[in-house]
Amino acid sequence: MGQQVRDGPVRRGGRFMNLAAHPDRVTIEVGGESIPVTARELQDTERDDAWATITAAAPQFTEYEQKTDRELPVIGQTRRT
């Protein structure tokens, strides 16, 4: 869910655009349970804190980040009731 460059300005990928267009149609799977969530792109300090948690758990994302000159988007989810 990142941005893509195709002979022009940077643009968001299709999966990211689907989340942005339909943030209330998202489900995640946790331990075999399907959980309805609302998705949103995290910004500023909230994004930075989440990114630090992600890269601590999965260091390969740090390597990916170093290969690009853009900030990778981070998506947060809030459980719907």
Side-chain angles (χ1 to χ4, degrees):
M1 290 190 298
Q3 300 172 347
Q4 299 175 352
V5 177
R6 294 192 182 161
D7 298 327
V10 174
R11 67 179 199 182
R12 300 289 184 160
R15 285 177 275 178
F16 181 90
M17 295 304 291
N18 284 337
L19 285 173
H22 306 287
D24 57 339
R25 294 185 189 173
V26 178
T27 58
I28 59 173
E29 301 290 324
V30 178
E33 179 184 1
S34 182
I35 302 169
V37 298
T38 300
R40 66 183 179 84
E41 183 176 7
L42 302 181
Q43 302 291 328
D44 305 320
T45 304
E46 188 177 28
R47 185 243 177 241
D48 295 342
D49 292 346
W51 186 250
T53 300
I54 291 165
T55 56
Q60 67 271 22
F61 284 104
T62 302
E63 296 170 18
Y64 182 65
E65 181 182 40
Q66 292 170 352
K67 294 178 182 178
T68 185
D69 60 352
R70 62 184 172 85
E71 182 176 84
L72 301 174
V74 176
I75 307 300
Q77 307 100 33
T78 303
R79 188 180 197 139
R80 292 193 316 269
T81 55

